[in-house]
Amino acid sequence: NAGVTQTPKFRVLKTGQSMTLLCAQDMNHEYMYWYRQDPGMGLRLIHYSVGEGTTAKGEVPDGYNVSRLKKQNFLLGLESAAPSQTSVYFCASDSGRGTDTQYFGPGTRLTVL
Amino acid sequence: AQSVTQPDIHITVSEGASLELRCNYSYGATPYLFWYVQSPGQGLQLLLKYFSGDTLVQGIKGFEAEFKRSQSSFNLRKPSVHWSDAAEYFCAVGVDGYNKLIFGAGTRLAVHP
């Protein structure tokens, strides 16, 4: 039982390049989330999904797209990376019951030059 | 608007000393409250959570937190800190059905031997 895994762990992009971050969970969770963590700001929700085939915007969705084609996977895409997207990205998942715990992945450190 | 404030950015304590990390929230409805810990280079781990009932909540690693509705606070405490407790601590409130988390900016804890 690996929990929540994220690929890759580190990435450096040039401005304007695109990339996709992959999140996978093996806990059969319905809900999945993407957060970004910036110094002094805690974690902010980018997008989330309440089930396969569904996505919704969080606090800071601009510049990102997501897809949930399979229940166990949640992809975060940057179509045209900007330096402001330099951050640490965390994926999380939970069962969707309000009292459940969110489980977090180890994070992806992205630098945009 | 919902928000979480952690007034202390950095705290340093001596090993064996007691600890209290402050958290204040702003949320119109009954809050679901969480404390997470993040060790360097790691994802977030849940320490404890409050949904209802007893306002003193016990968590893992000897931590506890007390919900005080009149003060809109959910402070984290530990009677005797260990060097391994050095980490960053995040308070969060669950909103919109409690699955969306609003995080505070975090408190970085340093422990002196």
Side-chain angles (χ1 to χ4, degrees):
Chain A
N1 189 343
V4 180
T5 58
Q6 294 182 232
T7 309
K9 289 184 169 48
F10 303 93
R11 186 72 186 270
V12 178
L13 291 178
K14 295 181 180 178
T15 297
Q17 287 184 318
S18 64
M19 79 162 294
T20 300
L21 281 64
L22 171 64
C23 175
Q25 52 93 6
D26 61 4
M27 296 173 282
N28 200 35
H29 283 163
E30 288 294 332
Y31 286 29
M32 297 185 74
Y33 312 82
W34 276 107
Y35 295 89
R36 61 177 288 171
Q37 183 182 29
D38 302 294
M41 301 191 73
L43 279 76
R44 291 179 292 168
L45 183 64
I46 305 171
H47 286 281
Y48 65 102
S49 167
V50 300
E52 182 178 320
T54 73
T55 63
K57 295 180 180 179
E59 287 180 80
V60 289
D62 294 342
Y64 305 95
N65 57 75
V66 287
S67 63
R68 184 98 180 268
L69 299 179
K70 293 182 179 181
K71 184 177 183 178
Q72 63 268 34
N73 294 338
F74 194 30
L75 277 64
L76 178 71
L78 287 72
E79 290 186 347
S80 180
S84 61
Q85 294 177 304
T86 294
S87 188
V88 181
Y89 292 86
F90 287 97
C91 177
S93 71
D94 65 42
S95 67
R97 292 187 296 274
T99 57
D100 193 21
T101 299
Q102 274 189 29
Y103 294 87
F104 283 79
T108 295
R109 184 173 295 275
L110 175 65
T111 301
V112 183
L113 302 175
Chain B
Q2 306 99 343
S3 65
V4 176
T5 301
Q6 294 181 245
D8 305 304
I9 298 174
H10 295 279
I11 285 184
T12 301
V13 300
S14 298
E15 192 169 15
S18 63
L19 172 70
E20 183 169 29
L21 303 182
R22 297 183 290 165
C23 173
N24 293 96
Y25 67 90
S26 173
Y27 184 54
T30 300
Y32 280 11
L33 296 161
F34 305 81
W35 274 100
Y36 282 86
V37 61
Q38 184 182 31
S39 298
Q42 304 296 313
L44 277 71
Q45 180 184 21
L46 181 71
L47 284 175
L48 48 79
K49 57 188 177 184
Y50 170 79
F51 291 133
S52 64
D54 193 346
T55 56
L56 185 62
V57 181
Q58 301 298 319
I60 62 171
K61 304 185 181 187
F63 286 92
E64 67 178 26
E66 186 171 13
F67 170 56
K68 293 186 177 180
R69 184 185 299 275
S70 61
Q71 299 178 18
S72 297
S73 69
F74 189 56
N75 294 350
L76 182 71
R77 300 193 294 248
K78 186 170 185 178
S80 178
V81 171
H82 188 263
W83 63 266
S84 60
D85 293 324
E88 189 153 22
Y89 292 80
F90 293 94
C91 181
V93 61
V95 303
D96 294 346
Y98 316 116
N99 296 101
K100 291 167 64 178
L101 298 181
I102 305 293
F103 283 86
T107 297
R108 186 170 297 277
L109 174 67
V111 180
H112 281 182

